[in-house]
Amino acid sequence: MMLQPSAPPGWLLDFGQWGVDVGIYDLMNTRWGWPIGESVHFTGLCMLMATVGMFDLRMMGLVRELSLSALHKLVPYGVFGWLLCVASGFLFVAAAPLEYIYNDAWQIKMVLMAIAGVNMVVFYMTTAKRVYALGPDEVVPLTARIIAVVSLSSWLGVITCGRVVTAFRPFWE
C-alpha cells in the first residue's frame, strides 16, 4: 500500500477547491459529464493501443508481414489518443483529487506511464533508425523486442490500474 497521510494535505484540498472554482467539478458532475469524459478517455485509449500495441506486437515478432515504417505512420493517431487520455484524465483528477492522488492504483498507473515514456525515449535514441530500415518479414533486433515487451506490458498495466482505481479509494481518518 502506498503511503497516505492521515488527513488530506492542504495542497490537495487547494487543488480540489481550484477544480470547484474553475467549474471542472460542476462540469464533471452533471448527468453527462463523467460518462462523456469516460468515453473520451476510452476512445483515446483505443487510439493509443491500436497504434502502440500493433507496433509493439510487430517488433515482438508477430504480424511480421507488416512494415514497421508503415506502422510508424500511425504514431500521430496514437499521440492524439494519448492527448485525449491526458485531457480527460486531468478532468477526472481535478474533479475528485481526493479519490486519485493517494490512490494506490492511480499512483501505480502514473509510474507505469512514466516507464512507458522513458521506454519510448530509449527506443528513439537507440534502435528506432535500425527498426525503420527493416522491411516486412525481417527480424527486429533483440533490444527493440525487449523495448516492445516493456512498452506493451506498461500500457497493459496502465489499463489495468485505470480499471481498478475505484476499488482502491483512499480512506481519510
Side-chain angles (χ1 to χ4, degrees), residues 52-69:
V52 172
M54 194 66 186
F55 194 81
D56 288 343
L57 289 172
R58 169 57 180 98
M59 285 203 312
M60 292 165 60
L62 294 138
V63 290
R64 286 179 49 184
E65 60 274 4
L66 296 177
S67 152
L68 285 156
S69 59

Side-chain angles (χ1 to χ4, degrees), residues 80-99:
F80 181 70
W82 179 79
L83 290 171
L84 288 175
C85 288
V86 169
S88 55
F90 177 78
L91 292 176
F92 299 148
V93 174
L98 296 176
E99 300 294 324

Side-chain angles (χ1 to χ4, degrees), residues 29-140:
N29 287 291
T30 62
R31 179 181 179 115
W32 290 101
W34 214 272
I36 289 171
E38 290 281 0
S39 297
V40 169
H41 204 72
F42 185 73
T43 300
L45 185 60
C46 288
M47 292 174 72
L48 174 66
M49 287 306 295
T51 58
V52 172
M54 194 66 186
F55 194 81
D56 288 343
L57 289 172
R58 169 57 180 98
M59 285 203 312
M60 292 165 60
L62 294 138
V63 290
R64 286 179 49 184
E65 60 274 4
L66 296 177
S67 152
L68 285 156
S69 59
L71 284 173
H72 189 258
K73 292 177 184 176
L74 297 174
V75 167
Y77 299 101
V79 171
F80 181 70
W82 179 79
L83 290 171
L84 288 175
C85 288
V86 169
S88 55
F90 177 78
L91 292 176
F92 299 148
V93 174
L98 296 176
E99 300 294 324
Y100 287 92
I101 303 297
Y102 286 97
N103 184 309
D104 293 351
W106 186 81
Q107 290 177 356
I108 294 168
K109 178 179 178 174
M110 294 300 106
V111 168
L112 290 169
M113 284 179 59
I115 290 169
V118 169
N119 189 60
M120 178 190 65
V121 170
V122 169
F123 171 72
Y124 281 106
M125 291 179 66
T126 62
T127 60
K129 287 181 183 176
R130 286 185 301 186
V131 165
Y132 298 141
L134 297 173
D137 290 320
E138 290 190 69
V139 177
V140 175

